[in-house]
Amino acid sequence: SLRTFATTETFQAFALTFCLAIVGHLLAQEARSSAQLQSSRSAAEAVSNILDRLCDAVVTLDSQCVIMKPAQRLGSLLGTSTSAQLEGFDVRGRMPPEDAEML
């Protein structure tokens, strides 16, 4: 009957609209997250550039205070042959114990 057809079509239109609204919301949320991530990366890069200009050497440490990336300027200051030798180096092992505890 015409009434059943109209009810079915109305329900399908409502379901489709609902699904599209959810997809739209998820896409907007993803776009916001992506913009925030890009903003965070830009801020981190800006801070890194400032530190590079102000400091003799800048290193990237993990949560255990181990050098994560080659540190060419630190290697030059310490007289090592290559900056890659410092990658994986535990910074706390070369400090007085009371300073290492603070880190």
Side-chain angles (χ1 to χ4, degrees), residues 31-101:
R32 279 191 299 274
S33 295
S34 179
Q36 287 173 343
L37 179 60
Q38 183 62 34
S39 176
S40 295
R41 285 182 182 155
S42 296
E45 186 175 323
V47 169
S48 179
N49 288 337
I50 290 169
L51 289 173
D52 280 338
R53 290 186 179 128
L54 293 175
C55 302
D56 291 333
V58 178
V59 295
T60 303
L61 304 176
D62 66 10
S63 62
Q64 303 299 314
C65 295
V66 173
I67 297 176
M68 293 175 53
K69 299 177 183 177
Q72 183 176 0
R73 290 167 68 183
L74 179 61
S76 295
L77 287 172
L78 297 176
T80 60
S81 58
T82 66
S83 62
Q85 288 178 332
L86 295 173
E87 196 170 351
F89 180 77
D90 185 355
V91 175
R92 292 177 299 181
R94 304 287 286 188
M95 298 180 160
E98 57 274 5
D99 289 342
E101 284 180 24

Side-chain angles (χ1 to χ4, degrees), residues 1-9:
S1 81
L2 184 58
R3 184 176 184 144
T4 304
F5 175 75
T7 303
T8 303
E9 289 296 313

